[in-house]
C-alpha cells in the first residue's frame, strides 16, 4: 500500500524525467527544494502526501528510457551527476522503469481508451494507491478541428467513441484517468481534459483536474510585468516575444500544428491583463545547439503622458526543464491534496501554475498566488493567515 501513485504521460521526456529524479533527490535531501512552492510556508504547512510514500509509472511512446533522459539532463548541466548516481535516485529510476507502459499517440478511439484505463487501474490496484495523479508532460499535440462537435455529456462521448469517434491522445488519457476518479494535471497546451464532456465526467466521478500548459518562463514574466503597465495606465502599443530553444520540445514545436497550439497558449494572458489587445507576436525558433537552455526575448513599446514613446527590452536565459520540474512536483502534491480533501472538478485555484488556466480568467501572477493561498488557508489553519499576508 502506498499513499500516492504518480502516473506520468511522457516520463522519458526532459520534464518527466527531471520530475521523477528530482522528486527522489529532494526526498533523499540530495537537492534543496529550490523552486518548490510547497516546500516553504505557508504551503509547507499543508497536510501534503509525504514525499517518501510514492510510486511512479507512466505511458511513453519514445525509444529513450527514463534513466537515459536523466543522463541527458546531467550532460546539459541541469542535474548534478553525483545526485543522479546516488542510490536513492537510481532506485527510484529503476522502480519507475518497471512501471512504464506503451502509450497511445495521434488521434485514437475506444480501444485506446480501454487500454489506457486498464493500465491505470492495474497500476493503482497493484500498489494499493490511496490516490493517483496523472501528469501529462508528453510532447505538445496539434489541436484538431471539430472538437466543438464532440458530444458534451460523458454518456454521449463514450457512445461516440464506441461508434468510431477519435480524439487526440491527450484527451483519451484524460478521459481514462477521470473515468477512474483519478486526478489529472495537464502541463502541456494539448487538449487534455478541457472538453465539456470531460468536465462533466470529472464532476460525475468525483475526480479533479487542472491545466493547461505550465507557466515557467516568458509567460511567467509577462503575467508579473503586464499588471504594472495596467496599474500605472501606461498604454502598451506592442509586445513582441521570441523564444529560441533546442531541446526535443523545441523540435516538436517546429511542426506548425503543435507550434500554433503553443502560441495560442502563450498569447492568452496579455489582453486579459491589459483590458485591450496590443499588437503582439510570439515567435518560437528551434535551434538545436541551444539544447535545454532557452532564450526568451521580449520587446515592449509603450506610451506615457503626452504621448512619449518608450521601450522595455528584456532577455531571459533559463533551463526550461529546471523551471518546469519543481512546478510539476508542486502540482502533483496539490492535486493529490485536493483529491484527499474531497474536491471535484476543475482546480481553478491552481491557475498560478498555468499559462492558460482552465476554470479561471485571472492571469495576473500575484492575484493568482493570493487566490491559491486564499483557497488553501482553511486547510492550512486560520492561525497561518497572518503569515501569508505580504
Ligand atoms: N519545459 C518547460 O518549461 C515546459 C513548460 C510548459 C509546458 N511544457 C510542455 O511539457 C511537455 C514536455 O516538455 P519536454 O521538454 O519534457 O518535452 P520532451 O520532448 O523532452 O518530452 C516529451 C516526452 O513525451 C513522449 N511522448 C510524446 N507523445 C506521447 C504520447 N502520446 N504518449 C506518451 N508519451 C508521449 C516523448 O516520447 C517524450 O519522451 C511539452 O508539451 C511542453 O510544451 C514544458
Amino acid at each position: 500500500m502506498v499513499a500516492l501513485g504518480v502516473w506520468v504521460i511522457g516520463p522519458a521526456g526532459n520534464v518527466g524525467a527531471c520530475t521523477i529524479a528530482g522528486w527522489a533527490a529532494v526526498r533523499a535531501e540530495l537537492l534543496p527544494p529550490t523552486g518548490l512552492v510547497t516546500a516553504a510556508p505557508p504551503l509547507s504547512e499543508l497536510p501534503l502526501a509525504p514525499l517518501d510514500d510514492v510510486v511512479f509509472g507512466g505511458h511513453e511512446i519514445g525509444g529513450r528510457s527514463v534513466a537515459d533522459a536523466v543522463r541527458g539532463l546531467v550532460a546539459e548541466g541541469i542535474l548534478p551527476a553525483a545526485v543522479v548516481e546516488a542510490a536513492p535516485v537510481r532506485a527510484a529510476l529503476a522502480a519507475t522503469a518497471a512501471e512504464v507502459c506503451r502509450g497511445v499517440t495521434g488521434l485514437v478511439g475506444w480501444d485506446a481508451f480501454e487500454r489506457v484505463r486498464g493500465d491505470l487501474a492495474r497500476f493503482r490496484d497493484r500498489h494499493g494507491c490511496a490516490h493517483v495523479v496523472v501528469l501529462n508532460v508528453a510532447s505538445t499535440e496539434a489541436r484538431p478541428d471539430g472538437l466543438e462537435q464532440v458530444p458534451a455529456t460523458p454518456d454521449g462521448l463514450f457512445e461516440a467513441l464506441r461508434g468510431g469517434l477519435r480524439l487526440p491522445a491527450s484527451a483519451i488519457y484524460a478521459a481514462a484517468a477521470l473515468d477512474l476518479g483519478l486526478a489529472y494535471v495537464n502541463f502541456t497546451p494539448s487538449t487534455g481534459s478541457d472538453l465539456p464532456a470531460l468536465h462533466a465526467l470529472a464532476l460525475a466521478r468525483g475526480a479533479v483536474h487542472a491545466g493547461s500548459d505550465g507557466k515557467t518562463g516568458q509567460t511567467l514574466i509577462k503575467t508579473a510585468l503586464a499588471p504594472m503597465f495596467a496599474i500605472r495606465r501606461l498604454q502598451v502599443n506592442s509586445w513582441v516575444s521570441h523564444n529560441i530553444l533546442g531541446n526535443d520540445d523545441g523540435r516538436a514545436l517546429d511542426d506548425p500544428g503543435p507550434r500554433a497550439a503553443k502560441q495560442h497558449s502563450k498569447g492568452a494572458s496579455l489582453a486579459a491583463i491589459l483590458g485591450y489587445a496590443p499588437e503582439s507576436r510570439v515567435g518560437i525558433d528551434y535551434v538545436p545547439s541551444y539544447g535545454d537552455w532557452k532564450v526568451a526575448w521580449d520587446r515592449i513599446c509603450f506610451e506615457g503622458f503626452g504621448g512619449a514613446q518608450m521601450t522595455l527590452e528584456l532577455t531571459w536565459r533559463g533551463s526550461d526543464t529546471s523551471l518546469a520540474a519543481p512546478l510539476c512536483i508542486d502540482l502533483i502534491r496539490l492535486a493529490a491534496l485536493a483529491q484527499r480533501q474531497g474536491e471535484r472538478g476543475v482546480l481553478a485555484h491552481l491557475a498560478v501554475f498555468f499559462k492558460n488556466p482552465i476554470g479561471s480568467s485571472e492571469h495576473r501572477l500575484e492575484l493568482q498566488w493570493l487566490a491559491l493561498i486564499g483557497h488553501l488557508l482553511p486547510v492550512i489553519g486560520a492561525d497561518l493567515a497572518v503569515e501569508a499576508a505580504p
Side-chain angles (χ1 to χ4, degrees):
M1 293 276 285
V2 292
L4 178 62
V6 180
W7 191 264
V8 181
I9 317 285
N14 277 1
V15 178
C18 196
T19 300
I20 297 164
W23 184 297
V26 171
R27 176 180 59 191
E29 297 184 1
L30 296 164
L31 283 180
T34 311
L36 282 162
V37 301
T38 49
L43 300 190
S44 57
E45 311 293 336
L46 287 164
L48 297 164
L51 285 174
D52 53 5
D53 199 9
V54 66
V55 55
F56 281 89
H59 279 116
E60 179 53 71
I61 60 158
R64 189 166 76 155
S65 70
V66 183
D68 282 346
V70 169
R71 277 189 279 278
L73 297 174
V74 172
E76 287 233 46
I78 295 162
L79 287 176
V83 167
V84 306
E85 280 156 18
V89 178
R90 285 162 55 138
L93 296 178
T96 305
E99 297 287 349
V100 174
C101 300
R102 187 82 195 147
V104 297
T105 186
L107 290 174
V108 287
W110 183 253
D111 289 352
F113 169 76
E114 285 202 307
R115 179 158 74 75
V116 168
R117 190 175 53 176
D119 291 339
L120 290 173
R122 279 188 293 278
F123 172 73
R124 178 195 58 192
D125 297 344
R126 194 162 54 245
H127 297 286
C129 299
H131 297 282
V132 175
V133 178
V134 176
L135 171 75
N136 180 21
V137 284
S139 316
T140 302
E141 299 166 342
R143 195 172 171 86
D145 294 332
L147 283 181
E148 55 292 340
Q149 278 142 36
V150 172
T153 64
D155 286 348
L157 174 69
F158 290 141
E159 198 182 315
L161 283 172
R162 278 191 287 266
L165 173 72
R166 292 161 81 79
L167 290 178
S170 66
I172 290 294
Y173 286 125
L178 298 175
D179 195 39
L180 290 168
L182 312 183
Y184 173 85
V185 175
N186 187 9
F187 200 75
T188 82
S190 305
T191 310
S193 60
D194 202 14
L195 289 173
L198 298 185
H199 284 248
L201 181 65
L203 291 173
R205 300 286 188 269
V208 297
H209 61 124
S212 62
D213 203 6
K215 180 153 91 173
T216 53
Q218 189 170 54
T219 311
L220 180 68
I221 290 182
K222 206 173 260 185
T223 59
L225 204 52
M228 175 190 79
F229 292 101
I231 288 167
R232 284 296 164 91
R233 295 189 52 79
L234 294 165
Q235 172 76 25
V236 176
N237 291 328
S238 65
W239 193 313
V240 180
S241 306
H242 204 83
N243 299 268
I244 308 170
L245 73 168
N247 58 17
D248 285 349
D249 185 30
R251 187 158 48 80
L253 296 175
D254 214 26
D255 186 316
R259 186 167 64 233
K262 192 67 151 185
Q263 283 167 322
H264 174 75
S265 175
K266 279 173 165 282
S269 57
L270 208 50
I273 293 175
L274 296 173
Y276 56 89
E279 224 185 326
S280 166
R281 298 272 184 286
V282 180
I284 303 173
D285 271 342
Y286 171 53
V287 181
S289 58
Y290 278 58
D292 197 62
W293 294 87
K294 174 162 130 178
V295 172
W297 171 85
D298 281 278
R299 187 163 197 274
I300 306 149
C301 293
F302 63 101
E303 198 173 306
F305 189 59
Q309 301 296 311
M310 298 176 250
T311 59
L312 169 65
E313 271 185 62
L314 61 97
T315 309
W316 148 294
R317 180 174 181 266
S319 154
D320 238 7
T321 303
S322 159
L323 290 160
L327 261 72
C328 289
I329 296 174
D330 285 333
L331 280 164
I332 292 164
R333 299 185 83 198
L334 292 171
L337 175 72
Q339 185 98 86
R340 234 179 46 239
Q341 298 286 122
E343 296 193 37
R344 51 175 61 207
V346 179
L347 301 176
H349 62 281
L350 299 183
V352 70
F353 294 99
F354 296 110
K355 290 188 189 73
N356 205 359
I358 306 175
S360 166
S361 53
E362 182 57 77
H363 286 269
R364 291 166 290 186
L365 184 71
E366 193 170 0
L367 294 186
Q368 291 175 323
W369 173 246
L370 293 175
L372 174 71
I373 303 296
H375 183 89
L376 293 171
L377 267 184
V379 187
I380 297 169
D383 53 319
L384 287 167
V386 179
E387 262 183 62

